[in-house]
């Protein structure tokens, strides 16, 4: 068995730079394409809040008004508790960027809203516009603890002791 050697011409330095520039241009074009085709929310800070932002597992208390492109109000609420993970993806993303006490304007494209589904007064493929104020937020564990405390207080007011639903209250001693 014989080995035949084929001489290769060396690559010139100018050719090597062209190869690197071509690779950089290709990466830039790919990044620009990916960035332009990914739906994003419009997010404007009207009044900055303070402190940390809620996480996806938190429960928020918000004041909001939702409108369609033509200005029609489809929903509003003065104090709405909601779990961040349980709303449309665009609203969830916006909530995690907010801070307590802040006011924001949000535009959610259809791909991050209800998409091609019509939901109540919201037509399919609608861009959603919200004015939102983040009043407060709590972790899910804090909300559960508050609910348990409220249930215990209700049971106490109804005359039962905690852990004994419906049990009569002891007679007052004189």
């Amino acid at each position: 068995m014989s080995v035949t050697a084929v001489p290769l011409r060396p690559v010139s330095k100018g050719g090597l730079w062209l190869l690197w520039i071509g690779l950089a241009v290709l990466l830039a074009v790919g990044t620009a394409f990916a960035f332009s085709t990914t739906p994003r929310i419009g997010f404007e800070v009207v009044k900055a809040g303070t402190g940390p932002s809620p996480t996806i597992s938190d429960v928020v208390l918000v004041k909001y008004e939702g409108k369609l492109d033509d200005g029609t109000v489809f929903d509003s609420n003065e104090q709405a508790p909601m779990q961040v993970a349980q709303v449309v993806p665009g609203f969830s993303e916006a909530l995690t960027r907010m801070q307590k006490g802040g006011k924001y304007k949000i535009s959610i494209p259809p791909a991050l809203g209800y998409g091609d589904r019509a939901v109540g007064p919201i037509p399919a493929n609608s861009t959603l516009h919200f004015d939102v104020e983040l009043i407060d937020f709590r972790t899910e564990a804090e909300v559960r603890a508050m609910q348990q405390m409220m249930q215990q207080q209700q049971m106490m007011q109804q005359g039962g002791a905690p852990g004994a639903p419906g049990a009569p209250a002891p007679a007052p001693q004189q």
Side-chain angles (χ1 to χ4, degrees):
M1 186 183 263
S2 67
V3 176
T4 306
V6 178
L8 296 175
R9 290 188 344 210
V11 177
S12 68
K13 288 185 180 181
L16 194 56
W17 281 108
L18 285 175
L19 179 66
W20 282 111
I21 289 171
L23 184 59
V25 167
L26 184 62
L27 285 172
V29 168
T31 301
F33 177 74
F35 188 71
S36 68
T37 59
T38 303
R40 295 177 294 154
I41 63 169
F43 188 84
E44 177 187 340
V45 177
V46 176
K47 176 187 163 207
T50 57
S53 297
T55 65
I56 197 77
S57 62
D58 289 341
V59 177
V60 297
L61 183 64
V62 294
K63 174 182 177 180
Y64 70 91
E65 181 177 66
K67 299 177 189 173
L68 300 173
D69 281 331
D70 64 2
T72 304
V73 175
F74 62 84
D75 194 11
S76 66
N77 201 319
E78 290 294 315
Q79 288 191 353
M82 55 183 70
Q83 205 164 16
V84 176
Q86 306 257 327
V87 296
V88 294
F91 202 77
S92 180
E93 178 184 333
L95 287 170
T96 60
R97 293 169 59 183
M98 296 178 183
Q99 293 174 305
K100 191 187 303 187
K103 294 182 181 182
Y104 306 87
K105 288 189 179 291
I106 305 163
S107 293
I108 302 173
L112 296 175
Y114 292 106
D116 59 2
R117 295 180 298 140
V119 177
I122 303 171
N125 297 311
S126 293
T127 298
L128 310 175
H129 304 277
F130 288 94
D131 293 321
V132 182
E133 179 179 352
L134 179 59
I135 299 168
D136 199 4
F137 67 93
R138 302 271 186 232
T139 66
E140 194 174 0
E142 288 174 321
V143 171
R144 269 192 251 122
M146 290 168 55
Q147 288 172 336
Q148 287 176 347
M149 270 194 346
M150 288 173 62
Q151 287 174 347
Q152 288 175 355
Q153 287 176 351
Q154 285 177 345
M155 287 176 22
M156 294 290 281
Q157 289 174 353
Q158 293 173 356
Q173 299 197 4
Q174 296 183 7

